[in-house]
Amino acid sequence: MNEPRAALELDDIQRGVLSPRPTPYAATYLVFRIDDRTHGRELMRRASATVTSAGDSVSPLGETWVSVAVTRHGLEALGVPRSSLETFAWEFRQGMAARAGALGDDGESSPEHWEVPLGTPDVHVVLTAVAPDPEQLAAALDRARLAYDRLAGVTEVWRQDCYALPTETEHFGYRDGVSHPAVEGSGIAGSNRSEAPLKAGEFVLGYQDELGGTRTPQPEALGRNGSYAVFRKLHQDVAAFRRYLRQAATGPEDEELLAAKIMGRWRSGAPLALSPQHDDPALGADPGRRNTFLYAREDPVGFITPGGCHIRRANPRDAPVAGEVRLHRMIRRGAVYGPPLPADVLEDDGADRGLMFAFIGAHPGRQFEFVQSQWMNDSVFFGSAGAKDPVVGSHDGSDGFTVPRRPVRRRLPPLPRFVVTRGGEYCFLPGLRALRWLGDLRD
């Protein structure tokens, strides 16, 4: 086992691993296939000069950066030896399509319905550019293009443009990106002042994690200071979500209350835990207050924030659940794609809209997959049976949602599937030195 070092080597970690995205922002995902190993390695060499490090806090590019990630098939295409590949997390080696059963990607969300080439061996390299506005994003993409320009053996096979609004809301109308953990040694504060920073090894490979161990793919020159990234394109059926709330509610005020009970927050971002009776937009807009709360003392059984609501499933905080919560914390990023459905429209207009979801962490199995399978698509962890996350769960119309209350709980109608997976992949985010290592590989 590698001995952990005291401080994060920020100059070798891609900025996209630890840095929160700007607000608002625009982003683009580009997927490439490597057809020529020599050209793929040249892409890695060039990318090492394009990617901004987490230690570059005074970059002239400001809040604009590019991240480069590689899939298992990409590492194979670059010529990484099998003995090295076998030291990576097995979920990463299998790929997202092979993990569909565990992730709840069935029915409409099953891999045979995914956008081509997502979920296939043709996804090798994922380049993500992030900037505060479309103009700066275009400039970032121009700089990133230098990494693959005139490399005939590297082919762009997929692209997704996305954005975050100044309101920070996603298509269902909720403020997004509210919660993120603090990472020891990063210098970046977490959003919950009641939560102690997590060990760096939960998110960056080669450092001590919450269990006291380290995990580093080999050789160390490749694995250290890297991380795993999961990206998923999630289509949102906004019209169906609106119709469900409208039909289940007794009136406009009740509709907003139900929306809050399902999510655990009012649409403004104000949590039920801090504002249980009514929305508080000022609280929802305050990053210093809107996420600083716990459950165990004030709301152990979920009369205020239901145990089955989205945010309590995604992060049970101090509530007693199956599994140690700190072992399942994630860095989560989301970006909206597609045009908004006009307000008050209850019928689908046929446009593709949704969320580009990204997870960053060092343990894809006990972080992303555990949360997705055990907390989002099951309810054993909080003492119920069969119920799934009301917002993103893989529903089939057979189960509803229960709002705990006295003297009689409120049972909502069966839930349709509001979110459909359009594709995605497990990726490895190499450190900057590792990008150069990949570029210098020889047969």
Side-chain angles (χ1 to χ4, degrees), residues 246-260:
R246 185 69 53 88
Q247 293 164 5
T250 60
E253 289 187 5
D254 188 49
E255 185 175 331
E256 287 306 304
L257 176 62
L258 289 183

Side-chain angles (χ1 to χ4, degrees), residues 342-402:
D344 298 323
V345 172
L346 299 180
E347 297 300 325
D348 186 60
D349 61 359
D352 186 20
R353 60 177 57 87
L355 191 74
M356 285 297 296
F357 167 92
F359 147 82
I360 305 291
H363 305 276
R366 67 168 167 82
Q367 291 171 323
F368 170 70
E369 287 209 354
F370 182 93
V371 172
Q372 183 71 14
S373 63
Q374 302 301 309
W375 288 354
M376 293 295 165
N377 282 316
D378 205 338
S379 290
V380 173
F381 81 98
F382 70 91
S384 183
K388 301 176 181 180
D389 185 286
V391 182
V392 302
S394 53
H395 296 287
D396 58 9
S398 60
D399 292 308
F401 180 73
T402 299

Side-chain angles (χ1 to χ4, degrees), residues 320-334:
V321 296
E324 169 55 51
V325 172
R326 289 177 68 83
L327 298 182
H328 310 299
R329 295 287 281 121
M330 300 189 293
I331 293 177
R332 176 198 175 279
R333 311 263 168 74

Side-chain angles (χ1 to χ4, degrees), residues 27-267:
T28 293
Y29 286 79
L30 298 175
V31 170
F32 298 90
R33 184 184 69 239
I34 297 172
D35 300 309
D36 181 276
R37 181 168 291 177
T38 300
H39 287 185
R41 291 168 177 173
E42 178 61 23
L43 171 63
M44 295 296 104
R45 278 193 292 271
R46 294 181 185 181
S48 69
T50 302
V51 170
T52 304
S53 80
D56 192 354
S57 60
V58 292
S59 168
L61 302 179
E63 293 186 305
T64 300
W65 65 83
V66 173
S67 297
V68 174
V70 188
T71 68
R72 187 262 294 182
H73 291 293
L75 292 177
E76 289 179 337
L78 291 167
V80 173
R82 178 174 294 275
S83 59
S84 176
L85 290 173
E86 290 176 350
T87 65
F88 282 79
W90 70 276
E91 298 88 358
F92 166 79
R93 285 181 278 141
Q94 286 196 318
M96 186 176 291
R99 304 295 300 151
L103 300 176
D105 288 333
D106 53 18
E108 292 179 84
S109 291
S110 61
E112 61 263 31
H113 301 305
W114 289 3
E115 292 182 12
V116 177
L118 302 181
T120 75
D122 285 342
V123 177
H124 292 167
V125 178
V126 180
L127 185 153
T128 308
V130 176
D133 55 59
E135 292 74 23
Q136 293 183 70
L137 177 64
L141 288 170
D142 286 342
R143 288 190 296 272
R145 194 169 290 113
L146 297 175
Y148 57 90
D149 188 39
R150 299 184 182 180
L151 293 178
V154 176
T155 305
E156 181 183 325
V157 293
W158 189 80
R159 173 174 178 152
Q160 182 64 63
D161 295 312
C162 40
Y163 58 93
L165 296 169
T167 57
E168 304 177 71
T169 57
E170 45 71 60
H171 285 300
F172 290 150
Y174 297 95
R175 187 183 295 272
D176 197 24
V178 171
S179 178
H180 60 273
V183 182
E184 281 190 0
S186 69
I188 301 171
S191 59
N192 186 353
R193 290 173 292 184
S194 299
E195 179 183 56
L198 285 99
K199 295 293 185 184
E202 291 298 307
F203 306 102
V204 185
L205 294 161
Y207 299 86
Q208 190 177 81
D209 62 22
E210 289 288 315
L211 292 174
T214 60
R215 179 174 294 185
T216 314
Q218 297 299 304
E220 185 166 318
L222 173 61
R224 186 171 178 80
N225 291 321
S227 188
Y228 292 107
V230 175
F231 81 91
R232 286 163 72 78
K233 181 175 181 179
L234 304 174
H235 170 77
Q236 294 176 267
D237 191 339
V238 181
F241 187 74
R242 291 176 180 175
R243 289 197 302 271
Y244 180 85
L245 290 175
R246 185 69 53 88
Q247 293 164 5
T250 60
E253 289 187 5
D254 188 49
E255 185 175 331
E256 287 306 304
L257 176 62
L258 289 183
K261 289 293 185 179
I262 284 172
M263 177 60 66
R265 292 183 185 272
W266 300 92
R267 297 203 216 227

